[in-house]
């Protein structure tokens, strides 16, 4: 049975260590509290994703990400390029503080972050009070779901709930760029 959650209930589930599904700019995502190691491990198990790939953190505002990042490591022009894309469907691999957990960075030095303009995703992070994990709501290797109806029923059965809404209608998941170089890593 699918547990339907509104945004406040979704944020409360995240605070309790839950893993939920929610719509993003282009696909349905899975989310949890990025600093709850057990929740992240559970998300990775549900998704069947290796930990070394790292995870994206989605935020309602830059202020939610600021305590995690080392923006002084970016040249001014690179930092301005990042800021010009937010809020929006642009994920950046940013220099981060050394204490960022390996389960978030994976095999990378930096941290993948996005300030979302999607009304549900941004409201969820805002209500949660910090960034949330954002990875596509599919098993590793399967196509990411673009609609609520396309969510895998067995995957949904392993979650603590679903925050309803529509995706933003983009054709592809967020672009991922390296903030230090501007190189496109996924696009």
């Amino acid at each position: 049975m699918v547990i339907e959650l509104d945004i406040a209930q979704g944020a409360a589930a995240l605070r309790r260590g839950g893993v939920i599904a929610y719509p993003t700019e282009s696909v349905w995502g899975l989310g949890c509290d990025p600093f709850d190691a057990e929740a992240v491990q559970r998300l990775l198990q549900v998704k069947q994703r290796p930990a070394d790939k790292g995870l994206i953190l989605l935020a309602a505002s830059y202020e939610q990400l600021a305590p995690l990042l080392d923006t002084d490591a970016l040249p001014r022009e690179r930092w301005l390029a990042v800021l010009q894309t937010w809020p929006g469907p642009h994920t950046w691999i940013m220099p981060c503080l050394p204490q960022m957990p390996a389960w978030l960075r994976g095999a990378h030095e930096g941290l993948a972050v996005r300030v979302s303009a999607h009304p549900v995703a941004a409201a969820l992070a805002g209500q949660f009070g910090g960034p949330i994990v954002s990875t596509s709501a599919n098993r590793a290797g399967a196509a990411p779901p673009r609609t609520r109806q396309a969510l895998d029923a067995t995957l949904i059965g392993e979650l603590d709930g679903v925050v309803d809404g529509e995706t933003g209608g983009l054709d592809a998941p967020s672009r991922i760029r390296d903030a230090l170089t501007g190189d496109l890593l996924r696009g």
Side-chain angles (χ1 to χ4, degrees), residues 79-128:
W79 178 227
L80 292 174
V82 170
L83 290 177
Q84 289 174 353
T85 68
W86 285 345
H90 303 279
T91 298
W92 293 88
I93 307 292
M94 297 278 291
C96 62
L97 300 179
Q99 64 266 31
M100 282 304 98
W103 65 75
L104 296 177
R105 292 180 289 106
H108 310 284
E109 291 288 320
L111 186 64
V113 294
R114 174 168 85 247
V115 176
S116 181
H118 186 275
V120 174
L124 187 60
Q127 186 76 35
F128 176 66

Side-chain angles (χ1 to χ4, degrees), residues 8 18 26 29 48-49 53 55 62 65-66 73 78 82 106 111 117 119-120 128 137 150 152 156 168 179 181:
S26 60
Q48 299 172 355
R49 177 187 175 101
K53 285 191 162 192
L55 293 164
Y62 166 68
L65 298 172
R78 296 299 324 135
V82 170
L111 186 64
V120 174
F128 176 66
D152 180 320
I156 294 302
T181 65

